[in-house]
Amino acid sequence: MSTPCVSVCIVTFNHEQYIHDCVMSVVMQAQDVQLEVLIGDDGSTDRTGVIAMELAKRFPECIRYFSHKEKLGAAGNYQFLIRTARGRFIAHLDGDDYWLPGKLKAQIDLIGGSSSVAAVYTNALCVDTCGALIGIFNNRQPERFGLDYLLSRGNFLNHSSVLYRATVGQDILSWPADYLDYKLHLFLAGRGDIGYLNRPGVAYRINTATSMVLSQSNHVRMRYWESIREIDESRTSDAVRISAAADFLRRVTFTAVRSGSLGIMKFWIPLVFREVQRHRARLTIYVVFRLAVGVWWFLRNRLASMIGGHSVPVYFWR
């Protein structure tokens, strides 16, 4: 095989319902971009491995399948595939999601046209477990933004849409194998501009059985907060860091109210305020503002749905 332009890293675990569509959506991109497809199976106990191996035999020129005897976890699995990748660019795709036509070519055109762009993301369609459309991932965003924008607004990027330069990927290999995708997004934003395509390039499945957000919510919150705290203070202003903390507390509050678990707020609100003691008053104002905007966004979506009947909700309004 000649050196591919893009190495597509697909992480999968018990995705027998989805893995065929996931992989084939990538193979179809080969009409536009020279690529290799790396599938890392993290010890699936269903037919995921059988389906993936059949696809690897069908497309031996581009698909390589790896089955891990010892569970690596999603982040560790990605690190394994990044280490194996040979392409000039690396793309991530979770095994229960799939890509839309033309996704890779549009990203390559953008990142290839500017050396200042470190990574490119796209918007996404939100679908249910059967593939029916239920929403849009996020609202319209700037076509270019940096670390401050991403840090102050919180994570609104779809992990299955990311494409970045392979040279950057080597730094990821030294991270602990339980890092969160927000840490990756912030890291890439610190290496250059983030290019953003407002057109959907991914179909993202909401709340599947293997979703880490559902199964490991406490772990996710802790790693999310750590991702914010790890950013060197010299790289951002106090206002940006306060905004990041306020957005985190907004997420915590809505999660607690939605789930009825007020203990989440009792744990996180005092902890975050202790972290920013010098700016407690500003943080309070920021949090109230973020909560008000969040309530407005929720009511706006509900009202539009009731009146229009056909309006598609936006999941991450920023």
Side-chain angles (χ1 to χ4, degrees):
M1 292 176 61
S2 58
T3 301
C5 177
V6 182
S7 294
V8 182
C9 301
I10 299 178
V11 161
T12 186
F13 173 71
N14 284 355
H15 289 149
E16 66 175 357
Q17 293 177 266
Y18 316 119
I19 193 63
H20 178 273
D21 290 347
C22 172
V23 175
M24 288 304 299
S25 75
V26 176
V27 172
M28 295 300 290
Q29 309 279 324
Q31 300 176 44
D32 305 318
V33 180
Q34 187 178 17
L35 53 79
E36 66 173 355
V37 185
L38 309 175
I39 306 173
D41 183 355
D42 208 16
S44 295
T45 55
D46 59 7
R47 297 188 67 256
T48 297
V50 174
I51 297 169
M53 283 190 288
E54 290 175 350
L55 290 170
K57 291 178 181 178
R58 182 178 170 189
F59 301 100
E61 69 283 358
C62 66
I63 297 179
R64 287 192 284 166
Y65 170 73
F66 304 91
S67 179
H68 307 309
K69 294 182 179 179
E70 295 186 8
K71 195 169 181 61
L72 301 180
N77 201 347
Y78 271 116
Q79 287 174 316
F80 171 87
L81 296 178
I82 292 168
R83 190 176 291 111
T84 308
R86 301 181 303 112
R88 292 189 294 117
F89 301 97
I90 292 175
H92 291 195
L93 178 58
D94 296 341
D96 51 352
D97 301 332
Y98 60 93
W99 285 348
L100 304 179
K103 184 256 189 194
L104 271 188
K105 184 178 186 305
Q107 289 181 293
I108 291 297
D109 288 346
L110 196 160
I111 199 171
S114 176
S115 59
S116 65
V117 175
V120 181
Y121 293 78
T122 76
N123 205 342
L125 303 178
C126 296
V127 301
D128 63 17
T129 55
C130 298
L133 177 66
I134 57 176
I136 302 295
F137 197 77
N138 54 257
N139 58 307
R140 190 170 185 83
Q141 298 297 321
E143 295 180 356
R144 295 278 188 93
F145 56 83
L147 178 62
D148 282 357
Y149 185 87
L150 179 58
L151 189 59
S152 63
R153 283 164 173 75
N155 187 20
F156 59 86
L157 294 171
N158 185 275
H159 179 245
S160 285
S161 78
V162 64
L163 176 134
Y164 55 89
R165 301 180 190 278
T167 51
V168 175
Q170 298 308 305
D171 292 334
I172 300 170
L173 301 180
S174 62
W175 295 354
D178 62 346
Y179 69 87
L180 202 63
D181 61 346
Y182 191 34
K183 178 183 175 72
L184 171 66
H185 306 331
L186 290 171
F187 168 74
L188 293 172
R191 297 295 296 265
D193 292 339
I194 296 297
Y196 190 81
L197 299 174
N198 280 286
R199 57 173 271 191
V202 178
Y204 168 72
R205 295 190 196 272
I206 296 288
N207 297 340
T208 59
T210 56
S211 170
M212 192 170 74
V213 174
L214 290 181
S215 62
Q216 303 178 43
S217 56
N218 290 329
H219 171 83
V220 169
R221 269 189 293 276
M222 186 62 72
R223 292 294 175 266
Y224 191 104
W225 179 240
E226 289 175 357
S227 298
I228 295 172
R229 293 179 66 251
E230 288 171 0
I231 300 298
D232 193 322
E233 291 187 10
S234 66
R235 304 195 64 184
T236 61
S237 66
D238 286 343
V240 169
R241 301 187 75 85
I242 295 168
S243 184
D247 181 76
F248 176 77
L249 289 181
R250 177 194 65 81
R251 293 167 184 259
V252 166
T253 301
F254 280 126
T255 298
V257 171
R258 188 168 53 246
S259 64
S261 304
L262 298 183
I264 298 174
M265 295 170 62
K266 292 180 180 178
F267 175 82
W268 280 107
I269 290 177
L271 186 151
V272 174
F273 269 87
R274 284 197 301 272
E275 294 268 347
V276 290
Q277 285 190 30
R278 292 185 299 125
H279 307 287
R280 294 170 68 93
R282 288 176 68 184
L283 178 57
T284 301
I285 295 171
Y286 277 44
V287 170
V288 171
F289 175 75
R290 289 296 181 94
L291 288 173
V293 171
V295 171
W296 170 84
W297 164 76
F298 174 78
L299 294 176
R300 175 186 178 276
N301 266 355
R302 278 294 180 91
L303 184 61
S305 179
M306 290 171 60
I307 295 175
H310 59 277
S311 298
V312 177
V314 177
Y315 273 79
F316 297 95
W317 189 277
R318 291 293 175 272

